[in-house]
Amino acid sequence: AALTSSVSLMEAVVASFMDKFHYNRKKSTVIVAVLALVMGIIVCLGYNVLYFELRLPNDSVGQILDVMDYISKFVLMPVVALACCVLVGWVIGPKSVIEEVKRNGERFTREKLYVAMIKIVAPILLAFLLLQALGLTNF
């Protein structure tokens, strides 16, 4: 199961390499596999040869894998969610989402609540979470 899951995860990266750099599938697959192997080796060595301890903003001490986990979980996820809120709330507008929900005659009874959440409430809370993850606030 782990092998098939990793293949499906790497397929998206391989396809991105093919689109962005116009490489063929074989070359893209080799590049992605080598990058994954190098990063995996770095993580494995982070518990012996490359061992270090770093104090994270949540007052825990982490090694290389913990640092990578912290960055992905507490920094990148809020950044992507905040970007989605800004994109949907302010760039394309929440009306497009509301129209998509109503497309087949479905009801969307809380349109105003949705608009307020996507434009105001969620971005403020996500920004607060991001500041907290970066150690810029003590709440």
Side-chain angles (χ1 to χ4, degrees), residues 12-23 28 31-32 35:
V13 181
V14 169
S16 296
F17 266 72
M18 291 170 61
D19 291 343
K20 179 73 174 174
F21 302 112
H22 305 290
Y23 295 156
S28 297
I31 291 171
V32 170
L35 288 172

Side-chain angles (χ1 to χ4, degrees), residues 55-117:
R55 183 153 302 278
L56 299 171
N58 65 356
D59 290 328
S60 66
V61 177
Q63 294 81 31
I64 194 162
L65 185 60
D66 300 320
V67 171
M68 294 169 84
D69 181 57
Y70 187 88
I71 290 170
S72 70
K73 190 185 320 180
F74 294 111
V75 177
L76 295 178
M77 283 187 183
V79 166
V80 170
L82 185 60
C84 287
C85 286
V86 170
L87 179 69
V88 172
W90 297 98
V91 176
I92 64 173
K95 187 172 185 160
S96 63
V97 174
I98 293 169
E99 288 172 357
E100 184 67 27
V101 170
K102 291 180 168 183
R103 176 178 251 168
N104 293 328
E106 301 293 329
R107 293 174 14 134
F108 195 166
T109 57
R110 293 188 167 70
E111 290 180 39
K112 292 179 183 176
L113 178 63
Y114 170 73
V115 171
M117 293 295 285

Side-chain angles (χ1 to χ4, degrees), residues 28-47:
S28 297
T29 303
V30 169
I31 291 171
V32 170
V34 168
L35 288 172
L37 179 65
V38 168
M39 291 184 69
I41 289 171
I42 290 171
V43 168
C44 289
L45 293 177
Y47 290 101

